[in-house]
Amino acid sequence: MKPGDELPPLRIPITRTLIVAGAVASRDYQDVHHDAELAREKGSPDIFMNILTTNGLVGRYITDHFGTRAVLRRVAIRLGAPNHPGDTMVLTGTITEVDGDTASVRVVGANGLGNHVTGTVTVEVTR
């Protein structure tokens, strides 16, 4: 691994089930994550994914690439465009720096509306 290396993209279909299951698993019971009618009343066209589900998907992306010896040391993400059912999020990553067994990876997750998530993940690949 070296700076400039790109991770292969990961395409994640955004389903209603993924959004609701992620919200329930993270104990986020806000109606905008499971009730389409109430989400529309609050100005959203449909339910949308919560940040904890996004955080988990970013972590999965990194550990899927670096393998079972990968340990996430820091995940710093920011949400942008919402993930709605029926869209696809494509995660991409670029290694920005390497220090021994530790790498920083710039991650972007884009959907049909723009960038859903941007951030940096620090991962250690233990020997």
Side-chain angles (χ1 to χ4, degrees):
M1 69 184 167
K2 63 185 182 311
D5 285 353
E6 293 185 8
L7 282 61
L10 175 63
R11 298 178 61 79
I12 300 172
I14 306 302
T15 65
R16 192 167 300 280
T17 300
L18 174 62
I19 293 170
V20 174
V24 170
S26 61
R27 297 182 181 188
D28 183 346
Y29 303 116
Q30 289 187 7
D31 52 23
V32 294
H33 302 308
H34 64 84
D35 189 317
E37 184 177 321
L38 290 175
R40 282 190 287 277
E41 285 179 15
K42 293 182 178 180
S44 179
D46 205 336
I47 63 172
F48 55 90
M49 186 175 285
N50 72 355
I51 192 168
L52 295 172
T53 304
T54 300
N55 198 45
L57 292 171
V58 167
R60 168 193 161 195
Y61 177 57
I62 297 298
T63 58
D64 280 0
H65 177 75
F66 287 98
T68 58
R69 295 177 300 150
V71 178
L72 301 179
R73 294 297 181 194
R74 182 173 184 266
V75 177
I77 61 171
R78 170 172 275 167
L79 292 183
N83 269 337
H84 295 290
D87 209 339
T88 298
M89 178 175 64
V90 180
L91 287 165
T92 57
T94 304
I95 297 174
T96 57
E97 63 181 273
V98 176
D99 182 9
D101 295 337
T102 302
S104 292
V105 182
R106 175 81 176 143
V107 176
V108 175
N111 62 31
L113 297 174
N115 288 341
H116 168 69
V117 62
T118 57
T120 303
V121 178
T122 304
V123 59
E124 180 181 357
V125 183
T126 60
R127 295 175 196 234

